[in-house]
Amino acid sequence: MGEGCVIFKRLIYISVVGSLVLLSAPFLLISSMGLLSILRKLKSSPDRELRILLLGLDNAGKTTILKSLASEDISTITPTQGFNIKSVQTDGFKLNVWDIGGQRKIRPYWSNYFDNTDVLIYVIDSGDKSRFEETGNELQELLFEDKLVGVPILVYANKQDLINSAAASEIATGLNLHTIKDRVWQIQACSATSGEGVRDGMEWVIKNIRK
């Protein structure tokens, strides 16, 4: 048999970047150059994976934002008692988003999820002004966590569709976001229920990760 050919006498499975090539036999004749072409195609332009941590007080709208990003139904949302994980594909990135419950009893366990975080997303209920001090304190603690030093932060000023909601600029001032000097940050006005502003925030994330 001439050079440049390979004979396979049994079933062979080749795993490449999560894909599976099945070469059936007996006596399947396949060009080695053709096989190389298949392998190169499977390896080309793999998505870069990012680990995104989604935090905020309970009822801030974290899970609704996550479902909106994943283009899922948001008509029924239940409080997150532990955590949710969803993978979202966008612009050559695979975003693995960890949505951690925001109830007071759960917050001490947030630190269990800090390792290897690429981006921190913090969600605020813009309509619940009575909890601004509480959410501000939680955010400040996150900013001083050793495992989150230098991690880019996106703050979603959620529920902008509510009549009594505070503007994103007002929240930024109240939380002293302009004093953050050790990382890039952005505050994005949004409404998780309508989807307005949610994608804009993620575009900022992707833009800054690429820098």
Side-chain angles (χ1 to χ4, degrees):
M1 183 159 304
E3 294 183 0
C5 295
V6 181
I7 296 180
F8 296 91
K9 295 185 178 180
R10 60 183 180 276
L11 291 178
I12 300 175
Y13 296 86
I14 302 177
S15 177
V16 182
V17 196
S19 300
L20 197 65
V21 179
L22 171 59
L23 304 174
S24 60
F27 301 106
L28 172 63
L29 183 64
I30 186 169
S31 163
S32 59
M33 290 303 294
L35 177 59
L36 186 59
S37 177
I38 293 173
L39 298 182
R40 283 175 176 168
K41 183 177 181 180
L42 289 171
K43 288 182 178 180
S44 65
S45 301
D47 287 337
R48 177 182 172 187
E49 292 197 22
L50 297 179
R51 189 176 192 275
I52 296 180
L53 193 58
L54 183 61
L55 299 177
L57 302 188
D58 51 296
N59 200 43
K62 299 182 298 298
T63 302
T64 307
I65 285 177
L66 181 57
K67 284 181 172 288
S68 177
L69 287 171
S71 300
E72 295 182 0
D73 179 29
I74 62 171
S75 59
T76 303
I77 302 291
T78 56
T80 303
Q81 298 300 322
F83 62 88
N84 297 311
I85 307 174
K86 290 190 184 297
S87 294
V88 180
Q89 305 284 149
T90 180
D91 296 329
F93 287 84
K94 180 181 180 182
L95 310 179
N96 298 315
V97 186
W98 292 67
D99 166 26
I100 316 299
Q103 294 91 339
R104 190 182 298 273
K105 63 182 180 181
I106 295 178
R107 291 176 217 161
Y109 300 100
W110 282 358
S111 59
N112 294 335
Y113 303 91
F114 291 166
D115 287 332
N116 303 313
T117 296
D118 293 302
V119 178
L120 172 63
I121 296 179
Y122 194 80
V123 184
I124 293 175
D125 180 349
S126 303
D128 193 353
K129 299 178 181 179
S130 65
R131 303 187 76 185
F132 280 3
E133 181 178 357
E134 180 184 2
T135 196
N137 290 338
E138 294 291 350
L139 178 58
Q140 285 299 315
E141 289 189 20
L142 292 172
L143 293 175
F144 285 102
E145 287 287 347
D146 290 340
K147 291 181 179 180
L148 296 177
V149 169
V151 172
I153 180 168
L154 168 66
V155 177
Y156 272 126
N158 191 26
K159 304 190 181 182
Q160 290 292 311
D161 51 309
L162 300 181
I163 297 176
N164 64 333
S165 64
S169 58
E170 179 184 345
I171 293 174
T173 300
L175 298 181
N176 294 315
L177 296 184
H178 296 92
T179 64
I180 299 175
K181 304 297 183 184
D182 66 336
R183 72 195 73 204
V184 293
W185 63 272
Q186 170 79 350
I187 185 166
Q188 174 66 52
C190 76
S191 168
T193 54
S194 70
E196 184 176 358
V198 175
R199 295 285 175 183
D200 294 330
M202 295 311 299
E203 287 177 3
W204 177 87
V205 168
I206 297 300
K207 178 181 177 182
N208 281 274
I209 286 296
R210 280 178 169 156
K211 288 182 177 180

